[in-house]
Amino acid sequence: MKRKSILIFPVLLFAASLVFASGCKREPGFCGRNLPDRILKMADRSVRDLALTPEQKKKYDEMKAETRANIEKYLEERKKVSGQISAELARENPDMNKIALIMKENPPIREEAYRQAIDGLMKFYAILDDRQKGKVIEKIRKMQKNFGCEGR
């Protein structure tokens, strides 16, 4: 019985990884065309209380256009990877080594998207005045307090 419970965890972990890497057919909000809109609306809500100047607003809108393009590029790459995994799974005898290799080779897609998001945040932060920067820092502190792992 103990052997079965030991084997269940790796199988569940692999299955969860496979679902994440192959896409999310049951979660259209994270795969669908509306993802860029959802992300940018969240950004707009976060920026709303900063009272951007017209010049800052113009730069922010330019950054949003760049961010939209980055998200759309990420989604296209993700769909391509999902298609590769789905194609292999559709075979009569899927090669799990090939699926694992596809999954291992594609984390750079997510890593690049993550780096671009951080770079975008820093680019935005650079256009803010000291009062606005203070508000951003407070939001980040609140998020860190809510989602950080210190003391847990």
Side-chain angles (χ1 to χ4, degrees):
M1 191 63 149
K2 188 174 184 177
R3 183 173 171 93
K4 276 187 181 179
S5 63
I6 291 172
L7 289 175
I8 289 173
F9 180 72
V11 169
L12 288 176
L13 183 61
F14 179 75
S17 301
L18 185 61
V19 167
F20 179 75
S22 67
C24 41
K25 302 198 181 0
R26 295 181 187 250
E27 296 287 341
F30 294 103
C31 293
R33 292 183 180 157
N34 66 342
L35 180 64
D37 292 333
R38 289 179 63 192
I39 291 173
L40 294 174
K41 282 180 184 177
M42 287 189 303
D44 287 342
R45 282 192 300 270
S46 295
V47 169
R48 191 178 308 146
D49 67 331
L50 295 178
L52 298 178
T53 66
E55 182 62 28
Q56 288 173 324
K57 176 78 169 109
K58 180 181 175 188
K59 289 180 181 177
Y60 173 68
D61 288 340
E62 291 168 4
M63 289 180 218
K64 279 177 43 178
E66 185 179 324
T67 299
R68 176 180 294 283
N70 290 340
I71 294 168
E72 289 170 351
K73 178 183 171 190
Y74 169 75
L75 286 175
E76 286 306 312
E77 289 294 320
R78 186 172 176 187
K79 286 177 186 177
K80 184 176 96 180
V81 171
S82 177
Q84 292 171 346
I85 291 171
S86 294
E88 186 61 33
L89 287 171
R91 293 179 53 201
E92 186 174 332
N93 295 310
D95 182 349
M96 293 306 289
N97 289 318
K98 185 173 182 180
I99 292 171
L101 183 62
I102 293 168
M103 292 169 63
K104 285 181 185 179
E105 289 176 346
N106 287 289
I109 297 167
R110 290 184 294 279
E111 291 169 8
E112 181 62 24
Y114 184 70
R115 283 189 182 88
Q116 287 173 343
I118 293 170
D119 290 345
L121 172 64
M122 295 312 298
K123 188 175 173 183
F124 175 72
Y125 187 77
I127 69 170
L128 300 177
D129 63 30
D130 289 341
R131 180 190 60 79
Q132 293 166 326
K133 286 180 179 180
K135 284 187 170 189
V136 169
I137 294 294
E138 284 307 311
K139 284 183 181 194
I140 293 171
R141 283 182 178 144
K142 185 177 179 181
M143 288 174 57
Q144 181 63 23
K145 183 178 178 186
N146 290 336
F147 299 106
C149 297
E150 298 87 30
R152 293 181 191 196

